[in-house]
Amino acid sequence: MGSLQGQNVVVVGGSRGVGRAIVETVLSEGAAVLAVARGTQPLQELSWEHPRVKTLAADATQDTAPDAVFAALQPDVLVICAGALAPSAPVQDQSWEDFSANWDMDVKASFLFCKAALQGGLKPGSRVVLISSGAALSGGPPNSGGYSGAKRMQMFLAAHCQKEADRLGLGLRFMALVPMRIMAGTGVGQAGISGVSAYLGISPADFLASMTDVQTPADVGRAVVTLAGGRLQGVSFTVSGSGLAAAA
């Protein structure tokens, strides 16, 4: 029997890349799973390959999104993995719309769902996991606009919400999970690899060769399962090729 048998897991941003890996991992652990994403085609492809997965097409940055998602499946574990591609241009060549893309997507979606959880959308004992990025700790490359700040804000948001949940006696857990390295084979990862290597003037292959201790999307999925168990103390965690650890 899987560790998530009898539990409902909702993955916002669950149709592709890391989100899809999380969906597949929690499904293998026996969870009932709802994958949420904007695009209907990737969701359809996911449901063809995994008929047990429920799907919902929704824009996670809309104020009504949490109510629609929770009505489709009330989660025991809520994972927010939705995110925009980071910009890929020097700061001076970006518009504000370019620079703020990850605030308007990654942070806004996290904010709306965490707010709904604190307002009674989730039952006591529920766990919320926000998927951040190693750029939140390193600062990221200079051509990535507001990406690193947005991913750091997700870590702050998890901590703020945990303090508020404790103050109100809600019995909720809020956590941020930080994959430490860019991951090839994901949309965000491939765009990041192309953008950073071009900015540095090296080939994507050479950039990838320079990275060590790289985690896979499956590693992130397994880390989510561990956090969903609720036994680890803390709010922010990193996952790398070396495994899961408390964030420094």
Side-chain angles (χ1 to χ4, degrees):
M1 182 177 295
S3 63
L4 296 175
Q5 193 74 34
Q7 297 194 49
N8 295 338
V9 179
V10 171
V11 183
V12 178
S15 65
R16 305 182 192 185
V18 172
R20 180 170 174 140
I22 294 169
V23 165
E24 292 172 340
T25 304
V26 298
L27 187 68
S28 72
E29 291 292 327
V33 185
L34 173 67
V36 181
R38 286 181 176 178
T40 56
Q41 184 60 38
L43 288 173
Q44 183 65 64
E45 293 171 0
L46 176 64
S47 65
W48 285 337
E49 293 187 33
H50 300 285
R52 288 173 45 214
V53 175
K54 295 180 63 176
T55 62
L56 177 67
D59 181 348
T61 66
Q62 295 298 305
D63 290 349
T64 56
D67 287 344
V69 169
F70 297 162
L73 185 70
Q74 181 67 31
D76 299 291
V77 181
L78 172 64
V79 183
I80 307 298
C81 193
L85 297 179
S88 183
V91 173
Q92 66 272 20
D93 294 334
Q94 295 176 35
S95 66
W96 174 249
E97 183 179 7
D98 296 331
F99 186 88
S100 63
N102 297 102
W103 287 85
D104 290 336
M105 178 65 201
D106 308 39
V107 177
K108 187 175 182 181
S110 296
F111 166 76
L112 290 175
F113 278 86
C114 287
K115 176 181 177 179
L118 290 171
Q119 291 179 331
L122 298 183
K123 61 184 180 293
S126 299
R127 287 84 72 203
V128 179
V129 182
L130 308 181
I131 304 299
S132 179
S133 166
L137 301 176
S138 69
N143 67 326
S144 61
Y147 178 78
S148 57
K151 304 314 280 186
R152 184 70 175 183
M153 187 65 234
Q154 288 180 297
M155 298 175 68
F156 290 144
L157 183 61
H160 295 335
C161 291
Q162 188 60 63
K163 290 176 181 176
E164 194 63 8
D166 292 343
R167 183 181 72 86
L168 297 172
L170 299 179
L172 300 176
R173 279 291 306 277
F174 290 88
M175 293 166 279
L177 178 61
V178 182
M180 291 299 291
R181 301 286 184 268
I182 292 177
M183 288 173 278
T186 68
V188 172
Q190 288 302 129
I193 290 164
S194 297
V196 175
S197 60
Y199 183 80
L200 296 175
I202 61 177
S203 71
D206 286 342
F207 175 67
L208 282 172
S210 72
M211 292 196 302
T212 60
D213 204 24
V214 179
Q215 77 288 333
T216 66
D219 291 329
V220 180
R222 287 188 287 270
V224 168
V225 170
T226 300
L227 295 183
R231 290 183 291 274
L232 296 182
Q233 298 298 310
V235 173
S236 292
F237 303 86
T238 63
V239 57
S240 66
S242 300
L244 182 66

